[in-house]
């Protein structure tokens, strides 16, 4: 269980020394649903402080190692969950995803991660990052493992039979050569056709940051010195976002949603890379790689659409590449069923 989720009777730090002694009385709803479905919690996993980062370099509890690529990032913020799966410590893991925090570690660690439709899996008992971008979801070593977890999360959840979706493919031109080849091979298996799907770039950045600021505003006043340098600097930037910047970004998000719906006319699913590259070396400063690592994942947090990241074969340096299968809201079953065809 990612240590962003409350677990009754077990220390839950949210990746922060501020909560080093925090022991919740109740578990998060996602945890209790998995336990009711027969899963057993075998441990809490480390993460980027307050889930605000993509490398899981935590100044309080240590950097999450990448079991398949020593010296490279395990991704973040759910890096501990991805690493635990890759190392064989667990068969299933809980992650959260606000800008890619399930899918980026899945890509870096060569496992599978699924960000469901916004709100489908409850976030009760999960410390927020940016609430209208936050998603709770499963990570596993296989697509089937994620599908089984969704059955525990969502009563009545099931995959469609015999689905033959129309798939669009985008963003290959931004990838390293071998990653591009692996995504192209996946596209050919699904008979995907090229589609001009827009990237969100920085259209929603001020909205995201204002939401982060609102979560941390009071806590930061009291405990700023207890934040690590990386996250402290980002929170300070978030607190500086103006009302006009926030309002403009809110409008741009709605416009982006409208553009994406229009572009998907005639298509059921979208296939894109998860990352343009394989797991990069651990950076000195996470902020130097952050924008590149969320470029292909943040769009689907802005949209709230389901997105599945799964390995697509070896790429640069022999490390795994990863592709995303994406559907409109509530197409979760179709996304996972199609993912099984690629697995």
């Amino acid at each position: 269980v990612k240590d962003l989720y409350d677990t009754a009777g077990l220390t839950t730090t949210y990746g922060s020394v501020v909560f080093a002694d925090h022991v919740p009385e109740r578990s998060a709803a996602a945890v209790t649903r998995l336990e009711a479905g027969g899963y057993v919690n075998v441990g809490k996993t480390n993460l980027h402080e307050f889930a605000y980062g993509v490398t899981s370099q935590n100044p309080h509890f240590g950097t999450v190692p990448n079991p398949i690529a020593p010296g490279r990032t395990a991704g973040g913020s759910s890096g501990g969950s991805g690493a635990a799966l890759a190392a064989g410590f667990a068969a299933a893991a809980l992650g959260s995803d606000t800008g890619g925090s399930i899918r980026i570690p899945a890509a870096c660690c060569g496992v599978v991660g699924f960000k469901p439709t916004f709100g489908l899996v409850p976030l009760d008992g999960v410390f927020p990052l940016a609430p209208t971008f936050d998603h709770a979801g499963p990570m596993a070593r296989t697509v089937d493992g994620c599908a089984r977890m969704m059955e525990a999360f969502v009563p009545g959840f099931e995959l469609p039979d015999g689905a033959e979706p129309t798939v669009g493919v985008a963003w290959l031109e931004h990838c390293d050569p071998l990653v591009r080849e692996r995504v192209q091979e996946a596209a050919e298996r699904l008979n995907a056709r090229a589609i001009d799907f827009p990237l969100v770039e920085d259209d929603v950045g001020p909205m995201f940051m204002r939401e982060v600021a609102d979560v941390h505003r009071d806590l930061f006043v009291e405990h700023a010195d207890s934040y690590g340098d990386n996250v402290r600097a980002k929170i300070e930037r978030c607190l500086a976002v103006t009302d006009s910047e926030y309002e403009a970004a809110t409008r741009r998000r709605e416009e982006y949603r409208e553009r994406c719906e229009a572009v998907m006319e005639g298509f059921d699913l979208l296939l894109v890379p998860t990352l343009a590259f394989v797991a990069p070396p651990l950076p000195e400063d996470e902020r130097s790689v952050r924008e590149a690592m969320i470029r292909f994942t943040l769009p689907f947090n802005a949209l709230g659409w389901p997105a599945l990241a799964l390995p697509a074969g070896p790429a640069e340096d022999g490390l795994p590449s990863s592709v995303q299968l994406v559907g409109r809201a509530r197409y979760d079953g179709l996304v996972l069923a199609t993912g099984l065809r690629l697995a």
Side-chain angles (χ1 to χ4, degrees):
V1 175
K2 183 179 183 177
D3 203 24
L4 200 68
Y5 287 77
D6 286 345
T7 42
L10 293 175
T11 301
T12 301
T13 70
Y14 313 136
S16 167
V17 72
V18 175
F19 292 94
D21 299 318
H22 172 57
V23 181
E25 295 182 359
R26 293 190 299 177
S27 293
V31 174
T32 59
R33 289 189 184 187
L34 286 177
E35 290 173 342
Y39 292 83
V40 176
N41 179 11
V42 297
K44 303 298 289 287
T45 57
N46 196 9
L47 64 151
H48 210 102
E49 183 179 11
F50 284 121
Y52 197 9
V54 297
T55 61
S56 298
Q57 292 166 283
N58 189 304
H60 314 298
F61 306 116
T63 295
V64 175
N66 187 329
I68 68 168
R72 296 185 180 236
T73 182
S77 64
S78 309
S81 293
L85 292 166
F89 295 157
L94 263 172
S96 66
D97 193 312
T98 307
S101 287
I102 284 173
R103 292 159 290 154
I104 292 168
C108 290
C109 294
V111 298
V112 180
F114 182 53
K115 181 190 76 65
T117 295
F118 178 75
L120 186 59
V121 177
L123 282 160
D124 306 44
V126 184
F127 195 92
L129 178 55
T132 73
F133 295 79
D134 289 349
H135 299 67
M139 301 175 70
R141 290 197 287 270
T142 64
V143 175
D144 183 66
C146 285
R148 300 289 77 77
M149 292 176 74
M150 287 299 296
E151 291 174 356
F153 287 138
V154 182
F157 185 87
E158 58 184 26
L159 305 188
D161 291 328
E164 291 288 343
T166 301
V167 182
V169 60
W171 305 342
L172 275 68
E173 68 274 17
H174 302 298
C175 296
D176 287 353
L178 293 180
V179 171
R180 183 168 60 248
E181 286 185 24
R182 299 293 88 81
V183 180
Q184 184 61 52
E185 290 167 359
E188 290 169 359
R189 290 178 59 190
L190 296 176
N191 297 313
R193 293 183 284 124
I195 182 174
D196 187 18
F197 197 88
L199 284 159
V200 72
E201 301 300 358
D202 196 40
D203 289 354
V204 301
M207 183 181 183
F208 185 106
M209 289 189 288
R210 169 56 71 84
E211 292 189 14
V212 174
D214 288 344
V215 168
H216 285 270
R217 198 175 303 277
D218 294 338
L219 188 69
F220 193 73
V221 168
E222 187 174 354
H223 297 286
D225 290 344
S226 296
Y227 283 63
D229 292 344
N230 172 265
V231 171
R232 184 190 307 114
K234 287 185 286 192
I235 298 294
E236 288 170 346
R237 173 66 185 91
C238 291
L239 291 167
V241 171
T242 66
D243 289 346
S244 61
E245 288 173 327
Y246 169 72
E247 291 161 4
T250 301
R251 290 192 298 271
R252 289 195 297 268
R253 185 185 191 181
E254 288 307 311
E255 292 165 359
Y256 181 68
R257 286 172 166 168
E258 293 171 3
R259 291 206 317 270
C260 292
E261 287 283 358
V263 169
M264 285 294 288
E265 187 71 31
F267 291 89
D268 301 307
L269 299 178
L270 176 68
L271 179 77
V272 295
T274 308
L275 296 173
F277 37 78
V278 298
L282 282 163
E284 289 188 17
D285 184 344
E286 176 264 353
R287 288 171 293 175
S288 69
V289 299
R290 177 175 174 79
E291 294 304 317
M293 291 186 74
I294 66 173
R295 191 180 189 196
F296 298 158
T297 53
L298 178 61
F300 308 113
N301 296 88
L303 295 168
W305 292 2
L308 173 72
L310 68 160
E316 278 72 15
D317 300 317
L319 295 176
S321 60
S322 177
V323 295
Q324 290 183 94
L325 273 170
V326 182
R328 294 183 188 84
R330 300 287 170 170
Y331 278 41
D332 301 71
L334 181 61
V335 168
L336 286 163
T338 307
L340 286 170
R341 291 171 52 193
L342 283 181

